Amino acid sequence: MSFSKWIGAALGWSFGGPIGAILGLALGSVLDGMSNGNGNTVYREQPQQRSQTQSGDFEVSLLILASIVIKADGKQDQRELDFVRLQFVNMYGKERANHAFKLFKEINKQQNISTRQVCFQIRQMMQHASRLQLIHFLFGIANADGKVTDDEAHQIFTIAGYLGINHNDYESIKAMFYKSTDSAYKILEIEKTATNDEIKKAYRTMAKKYHPDKVIHLGQEHQKGAEEKFKQVQDAYDQLQKERGF
C-alpha cells in the first residue's frame, strides 16, 4: 500500500482539530517531493470523517504523544526511537510501520505541540479502554532505555490527567513498569491491607477493565498490546495467591 493510500484508509476523526493541524504540517513534509511520476503530488483526498476511533486514529495519537514523552527529559535516546519503530513493526508489519515512522519523524520535528489540546481531542473521541492502552504504550517507550525518568513519568502523568485517566488507573499501569514489593497491589488497585476476598474482587474488576476485547474495534494489531497489559493483571493476582496461600 502506498503512503497516500495508507493515510486515506487509516485515519478518521484525527484529521480534525489540533491533531489535524499537527498532521497537516507533518504530511506536508512527508508528501513534499512525492509524485506519481508526472511531478504531481500523490495524495489528494482527505478521508471521510468518522466518529468512531479507527486503528489509524489510535496510531496517530500514539505518534504525537510518544513524541511528547520522548522529549520530556530534554533528550532523545536512540533506544526510545528504536522502541517506537519496533512496536509499530510488531503491531503493523514492516510496510505500515515504515509509513508510521516516517510520519513520526516529521511530527517529532515540530515544536510547541499543545499536550493539553491534543489530549482533550483524544479524550472527546476515544473510548476509555483505548486511552488506557495509550498510557501503557507510553510507559513502554519511556522504559525502553531501561529506566523511566522522573521527567518522563511526570509527562505521562500530565497526559493521563488530560486524557481523563484517574489516579488509580495511572498508578496501576505505572506499577507494571516500576517493580516494587507492592507492585502487585498497585496493579490491582488495592491496598496491602486488602483481604483475600477483596483481592479476588479486584482481580475480576481489573480483568474486565483490561480485557483485550475492550479494544477489539481498533483491530487485532492493538489487541496484542492489550493482551500484555491483561497478562500483568493475571501475574499480579497469581503472585498474591502464592504469597497468601489462597
Side-chain angles (χ1 to χ4, degrees), residues 56-76:
D57 299 313
F58 185 85
E59 189 171 341
V60 168
S61 299
L62 280 179
L63 294 177
I64 295 173
L65 295 180
S67 175
I68 292 171
V69 170
I70 285 176
K71 295 175 182 177
D73 56 3
K75 61 181 180 179
Q76 295 186 53

Side-chain angles (χ1 to χ4, degrees), residues 83-118:
F83 179 85
V84 175
R85 178 184 285 276
L86 179 61
Q87 288 298 301
F88 275 76
V89 169
N90 290 338
M91 286 191 292
Y92 307 126
K94 286 187 178 181
E95 182 181 8
R96 183 173 170 184
N98 286 338
H99 293 327
F101 200 73
K102 185 184 298 182
L103 189 60
F104 172 78
K105 288 192 292 185
E106 294 303 325
I107 291 172
N108 210 33
K109 294 176 183 177
Q110 296 184 35
Q111 303 296 322
N112 302 318
I113 291 176
S114 173
T115 305
R116 181 177 180 273
Q117 291 181 0
V118 167

